[in-house]
Amino acid sequence: MQLSDLSPAALAEELGQRLKQARLNANITQAELAKRAGVSRKIVLSAEKGQVQLENFAALLLALGLAEQLNNFIPKPQISPIQLQKLQGKKRERASGSRAGSNQPSDAIDEGEPSW
Amino acid sequence: MQLSDLSPAALAEELGQRLKQARLNANITQAELAKRAGVSRKIVLSAEKGQVQLENFAALLLALGLAEQLNNFIPKPQISPIQLQKLQGKKRERASGSRAGSNQPSDAIDEGEPSW
DNA sequence: CTATAAAGTGCAAAATTAGGAACTTTAATG
DNA sequence: CATTAAAGTTCCTAATTTTGCACTTTATAG
């Protein structure tokens, strides 16, 4: 399955289902997970449907011992090579563009080689 | 850095920062990302601080072409070996426990080998 | 098959987030 | 160093989420 083909809602839902499976694999109840994560049971319930604040989702991942895996997904942001050449000393804090007229913020996301 | 040492809020914040770095690497503005993701600019702003609904975070990942990476983080939930032996045909939908007294939902998360 | 604990629903109140526009601050191009 | 667009802030309102409790449904151990 291609996660990138899903709608935002469907993607969030998929993440919720994976969280649920992880809980079941650990064989703990929603109530127990809620207690460990320091959130209400309702949060667990709706998180498993993908409807949850990122912070609460994070709390659940931590409680399940899954937090470290996040490094694989959004790896600690290295600075892109293109920028590396540009930046002299300081790191970029804003998106740029040519200055004329107004803007062409890099029209399409650079597919192909990961930008970092 | 150990993600697992962070508080839920700090972890969410870290994810937000990584999202931001990914946007900067793609060199697109918050406004442009918002447009592409179909969300308001405020969502981008607060998402980069880690305060955002999972669904909106998902929308931003999709817009940045990062969705596929999610497979690395919460891998498609395989069924744990322990369960594989138990389940005959159907897959588990609830956490269990011994039946006596009340409950001992697997006291500690099984560290060591990943449960799947 | 039965008993029972886990999971899911409903409701009202409280809290937080999101929308949108206007405005301020600041990075960084030229 | 000046200009200007990106990023961040503020304010008010609308929408959504979160809580907590009670209750219903359902998976599953025995």
Side-chain angles (χ1 to χ4, degrees):
Chain A
M1 192 231 320
Q2 289 286 73
L3 293 182
S4 45
D5 290 337
L6 301 175
S7 70
L11 178 48
E13 194 181 330
E14 170 74 21
L15 292 177
Q17 289 175 350
R18 294 190 185 190
L19 179 76
K20 178 174 186 172
Q21 188 62 54
R23 174 179 62 80
L24 290 176
N25 284 344
N27 195 47
I28 61 185
T29 67
Q30 294 177 338
E32 178 61 20
L33 176 57
K35 194 174 72 179
R36 294 186 189 185
V39 301
S40 74
R41 189 168 70 90
K42 270 229 164 127
I43 292 285
V44 177
L45 199 49
S46 57
E48 293 184 350
K49 290 180 187 167
Q51 299 175 343
V52 66
Q53 201 70 17
L54 183 62
E55 176 175 336
N56 288 324
F57 195 74
L60 297 175
L61 290 179
L62 285 167
L64 285 173
L66 293 174
E68 222 46 61
Q69 315 227 25
L70 287 170
N71 276 318
N72 299 322
F73 125 66
I74 294 202
K76 179 96 180 194
Q78 317 301 2
I79 308 160
S80 80
I82 323 135
Q83 289 194 31
L84 255 178
Q85 78 181 106
K86 286 194 185 174
L87 66 79
Q88 302 110 321
K90 67 247 171 198
K91 61 169 171 294
R92 173 167 293 284
E93 299 183 358
R94 290 185 184 189
S96 67
S98 48
R99 216 50 175 298
S102 47
N103 52 339
Q104 280 93 343
S106 67
D107 201 26
I109 296 292
D110 205 336
E111 297 296 357
E113 299 302 311
S115 49
W116 27 258
Chain B
M1 192 232 321
Q2 289 287 74
L3 293 182
S4 43
D5 291 339
L6 301 175
S7 69
L11 178 48
E13 195 180 330
E14 170 73 21
L15 292 178
Q17 289 175 349
R18 295 192 183 188
L19 179 75
K20 177 175 186 172
Q21 188 61 55
R23 174 179 62 79
L24 289 176
N25 284 344
N27 194 47
I28 61 186
T29 67
Q30 294 177 338
E32 178 61 21
L33 176 57
K35 194 173 74 178
R36 293 187 189 183
V39 301
S40 74
R41 188 168 71 92
K42 249 197 175 167
I43 294 284
V44 177
L45 198 52
S46 58
E48 293 185 350
K49 291 180 186 165
Q51 298 175 344
V52 65
Q53 202 70 18
L54 183 61
E55 176 175 336
N56 288 324
F57 194 75
L60 297 175
L61 290 178
L62 286 167
L64 285 173
L66 293 174
E68 222 46 62
Q69 314 226 26
L70 288 169
N71 275 318
N72 299 323
F73 126 66
I74 295 200
K76 180 96 180 193
Q78 315 301 1
I79 307 159
S80 80
I82 325 136
Q83 287 193 32
L84 256 178
Q85 79 182 106
K86 287 193 184 175
L87 64 79
Q88 302 109 324
K90 68 248 170 193
K91 63 171 171 296
R92 174 167 293 284
E93 299 183 359
R94 289 185 185 188
S96 67
S98 48
R99 216 51 175 297
S102 47
N103 52 339
Q104 280 94 344
S106 67
D107 201 26
I109 297 290
D110 204 337
E111 297 296 357
E113 299 301 312
S115 51
W116 27 258

